[in-house]
Amino acid sequence: MDSKDQSSSGGGYFASFTSRLSNLGTALGLMSDEGVEVRNSEVGGAEDSVEVINPEGGTEDSVEEANKGRWKQEERESHWKIMKNYIGSDITSLVTLPVFIMEPMSTLQKMAEIMEYSHLLDLADECEDPHMRMVYATTWAVSVYYALQRTWKPFNPILGETYEMVNHGGITFLAEQVCHHPPIGAAHAENEHFTYDLTSKLKTKLLGNSVEIYPVGRTRVTLKRDGVVLDLVPPPSKANNLIFGRTWVDSAGDMIMTNMTTGEKVVLYFQPCGWFGAGRYEVDGYVYNAAEEPKILMTGKWNESMSYQPCDMEGEPLPGTELKEVWKVADAPENDKFQYTHFAHKINSLDTAPKKLLASDSRLRPDRYALEKGDLSKAGSAKSSLEEKQRAEKRNRDAKGHKFTPRWFEMSEEVATTPWGDLEVYRFNGKYNEHREAADISDDTNIIDIESTEFNPWQYGNVTTE
């Protein structure tokens, strides 16, 4: 690979990154404040000054940049008056947003997008080289960021809502909303090569026209051949220009993948978007052995591809070796309204649904389906109705003195420590496997029609809103 190719892939980073080798223990920095920052007073008619960040750089077009995006001027000003009251707060479950900035998918479905390139975990399981095993597994963790750059907001799941996925790489995937305040989702996936377990709780901080997102989650992957357990700590993200300007997402900081069984570790640095877009998307780092010595360097862009190359103790490429590509993003539909990949469309369809789909499945949400069909009015009213039914169920549950109990996961006694706070860990209880086996051998095909099948995540009977 020539120097030009290396530069475009982040190859010029190798020498400068060597100085970071001694900083392995401090590799969990929070969101950087770096970036292209354009501060405008009364931009787009807002009462207070707001920050509009143009990823392409430049300050001369700040007002024009602020007027871009999907919000109409009167909508921007109206929502800004609401949003500014929450500046500095965690808005995970505080702010109700209009459906026209949403995508026809719930957060549970979006959690399943990490399985698009699950074949990388299959390769990790099959790999005998412990360092290359970490290359495959960490690249799998990076691959989902192409999908996470979408700027549409998914629907918040209803308590008890689920999402099931089959027919992809032999994987059975199940997610359930196990807590409403704070919002917590749990997921379990499995095929012949690996099991995947996630407890996800996002923590946010509203900065005005942007929001920082901290992944207070616990991700574990078990590779079945050798029984090794991998732990993932992802970097935080930042959504810029929520109301004024073109919304775009950046991730900056360190991703750490640790082999809990044998001690190997990967630290990848997600570079923040700098002036005129410098460094945007770039990811660089190393695979370390159990003695914390660099063995393989990794480099690429999270929206394009990742490559690897053996390195020496100083982190420099070994003579006689070459940079090899390990993953490349798949082709995506052109001019897709919601910037969906082909896999995202597959997640939303019944092609990935099992027999006797649970009535609590996200695909059956009437607001999601209406938005998918382009009926914003129906989507908005259905969303409001579901939210009121959820409040009614809580009143009913509280009146009976009942505590919500997830069906497919259970809270463990384990509390995971993350860089952004502690997390109660939920574990897959195995009951879904029994349900699925019974459903699969059933003669009832239970053909689902999304439009006419009632979405029913409710566990406490009467949820009338009167």
Side-chain angles (χ1 to χ4, degrees):
M1 176 175 288
D2 60 29
S3 59
K4 180 178 178 181
D5 289 340
Q6 287 191 4
S7 175
S8 65
S9 298
Y13 168 79
F14 299 149
S16 64
F17 190 75
T18 303
S19 62
R20 289 176 53 85
L21 296 180
S22 62
N23 298 328
L24 177 61
T26 61
L28 282 175
L30 295 180
M31 172 69 66
S32 169
D33 289 328
E34 295 181 41
V36 184
E37 299 183 358
V38 182
R39 292 179 174 84
N40 308 283
S41 179
E42 298 185 359
V43 166
E47 294 180 358
D48 300 328
S49 63
V50 297
E51 178 185 69
V52 178
I53 304 177
N54 183 346
E56 284 80 35
T59 59
E60 68 283 349
D61 62 344
S62 58
V63 175
E64 178 183 350
E65 181 69 22
N67 287 326
K68 293 180 180 179
R70 57 182 74 107
W71 297 77
K72 297 178 182 178
Q73 181 172 336
E74 60 273 17
E75 292 167 341
R76 291 199 304 267
E77 294 177 358
S78 174
H79 217 74
W80 171 249
K81 291 178 180 179
I82 299 173
M83 294 287 283
K84 68 180 183 180
N85 295 323
Y86 295 105
I87 291 177
S89 301
D90 185 343
I91 59 167
T92 306
S93 56
L94 286 179
V95 180
T96 299
L97 295 173
V99 294
F100 68 81
I101 67 165
M102 306 187 82
E103 62 177 329
M105 180 181 289
S106 79
T107 301
L108 297 181
Q109 293 173 278
K110 197 155 188 170
M111 287 164 58
E113 289 194 77
I114 198 168
M115 290 297 143
E116 178 166 7
Y117 300 98
S118 60
H119 71 278
L120 290 166
L121 289 182
D122 296 347
L123 292 173
D125 182 54
E126 295 169 346
C127 186
E128 295 185 1
D129 183 326
H131 305 122
M132 278 304 301
R133 177 166 55 197
M134 298 299 286
V135 168
Y136 289 125
T138 309
T139 301
W140 160 79
V142 172
S143 69
V144 74
Y145 280 80
Y146 178 85
L148 296 184
Q149 72 179 321
R150 293 200 306 269
T151 59
W152 303 90
K153 183 188 180 302
F155 286 94
N156 290 336
I158 298 295
L159 185 62
E161 182 175 331
T162 59
Y163 176 72
E164 300 175 85
M165 183 182 73
V166 297
N167 303 325
H168 175 72
I171 294 170
T172 297
F173 178 97
L174 174 71
E176 180 178 14
Q177 191 71 2
V178 296
C179 184
H180 184 57
H181 289 294
I184 300 177
H188 175 83
E190 187 167 356
N191 71 358
E192 63 178 324
H193 290 288
F194 67 87
T195 60
Y196 163 84
D197 291 282
L198 169 71
T199 302
S200 176
K201 178 177 74 172
L202 295 180
K203 181 179 180 180
T204 64
K205 183 178 182 181
L206 181 66
L207 304 179
N209 196 35
S210 62
V211 62
E212 292 181 346
I213 306 165
Y214 305 104
V216 188
R218 210 285 292 270
T219 301
R220 290 284 170 86
V221 174
T222 301
L223 301 179
K224 291 186 174 181
R225 191 187 70 163
D226 295 330
V228 300
V229 178
L230 308 178
D231 178 81
L232 173 68
V233 178
S237 298
K238 184 177 182 180
N240 300 284
N241 305 342
L242 294 179
I243 299 175
F244 298 91
R246 292 175 296 169
T247 304
W248 60 284
V249 178
D250 194 27
S251 294
D254 289 295
M255 169 183 283
I256 298 181
M257 176 79 82
T258 304
N259 187 325
M260 307 288 288
T261 306
T262 60
E264 290 90 15
K265 179 175 290 189
V266 180
V267 180
L268 295 182
Y269 180 59
F270 283 55
Q271 296 197 43
C273 178
W275 192 258
F276 294 108
R280 189 179 181 192
Y281 308 118
E282 292 185 8
V283 181
D284 303 276
Y286 291 92
V287 178
Y288 299 87
N289 63 15
E292 299 187 359
E293 300 167 333
K295 303 301 292 184
I296 298 177
L297 60 86
M298 297 178 64
T299 184
K301 294 185 176 182
W302 51 258
N303 69 331
E304 291 182 4
S305 64
M306 288 295 294
S307 299
Y308 69 94
Q309 188 170 2
C311 66
D312 59 23
M313 291 288 290
E314 301 300 320
E316 295 294 334
L318 286 177
T321 64
E322 61 181 12
L323 199 63
K324 294 184 179 180
E325 187 176 83
V326 66
W327 163 78
K328 183 177 182 180
V329 68
D331 292 336
E334 294 184 6
N335 303 317
D336 190 86
K337 179 178 180 181
F338 295 105
Q339 298 140 8
Y340 275 7
T341 64
H342 290 292
F343 186 69
H345 283 291
K346 187 176 178 181
I347 282 176
N348 249 351
S349 76
L350 291 176
D351 292 342
T352 54
K355 288 176 59 177
K356 303 190 71 173
L357 182 69
L358 293 170
S360 51
D361 193 89
S362 299
R363 298 176 185 84
L364 303 177
R365 289 182 60 134
D367 50 359
R368 187 213 65 79
Y369 184 71
L371 182 60
E372 185 177 41
K373 295 301 180 182
D375 191 337
L376 270 66
S377 177
K378 186 176 181 179
S381 62
K383 178 175 176 288
S384 297
S385 177
L386 285 178
E387 291 167 350
E388 181 51 41
K389 285 183 176 181
Q390 181 167 231
R391 289 188 286 268
E393 186 194 41
K394 184 178 186 303
R395 290 193 296 268
N396 188 16
R397 187 167 66 247
D398 290 347
K400 295 180 179 179
H402 292 168
K403 181 180 179 180
F404 175 82
T405 302
R407 293 179 64 186
W408 313 113
F409 295 84
E410 58 188 27
M411 183 185 293
S412 69
E413 297 181 355
E414 182 180 2
V415 176
T417 300
T418 80
W420 306 284
D422 291 341
L423 173 72
E424 308 88 349
V425 175
Y426 284 79
R427 290 177 178 165
F428 182 63
N429 61 22
K431 294 179 181 178
Y432 178 80
N433 291 341
E434 300 172 8
H435 161 80
R436 181 51 44 215
E437 289 174 4
D440 288 343
I441 63 175
S442 170
D443 293 333
D444 182 9
T445 57
N446 192 31
I447 298 175
I448 293 290
D449 176 64
I450 293 179
E451 191 168 6
S452 60
T453 303
E454 182 180 2
F455 173 63
N456 184 13
W458 322 112
Q459 295 186 16
Y460 290 87
N462 183 16
V463 291
T464 58
T465 59
E466 299 179 356

